[in-house]
Amino acid sequence: MMQTLAQELGPRDIKVNAVAPGALGTPINRSAWETPEAYLLKLIPYRRVGDPEDIAHAATVLASDSMDYVASSTIYVDGGMTLFPGFGTGG
């Protein structure tokens, strides 16, 4: 989708990128990261859940002139969670 949108909107100088958030420390998944039996932290190499600010920082950088030539990309802001299931299993 990002590629198609970037092709259509790029000629109009509109950058199209996506931010794909991982697990965030929000109330909806609190039991997955805050309880003693929390399994979520075992899936994240960075060993913490993200803060909403982590997502905001990525979006801010993507929207800045510093990333002017970046188009049709998806930035995963997930502490390495996309490495699962290989992470932590030896494979």
Side-chain angles (χ1 to χ4, degrees):
M1 184 161 121
M2 292 305 104
Q3 292 173 347
T4 299
L5 289 170
Q7 287 175 342
E8 291 183 16
L9 299 173
R12 298 185 209 164
D13 291 327
I14 299 173
K15 294 187 299 184
V16 177
N17 292 292
V19 176
L24 298 178
T26 59
I28 196 167
N29 63 1
R30 186 175 306 276
S31 64
W33 55 269
E34 193 175 63
T35 61
E37 52 280 336
Y39 63 91
L40 192 56
L41 295 180
K42 296 175 185 165
L43 308 178
I44 305 171
Y46 211 65
R47 294 292 188 219
R48 72 170 179 87
V49 293
D51 295 319
E53 291 82 14
D54 294 322
I55 307 307
H57 293 305
T60 300
V61 169
L62 277 175
S64 75
D65 289 338
S66 297
M67 301 294 269
D68 187 53
Y69 204 56
V70 176
S72 75
S73 295
T74 299
I75 306 298
Y76 294 90
V77 184
D78 67 356
M81 194 172 180
T82 50
L83 298 171
F84 188 79
F87 172 74
T89 62

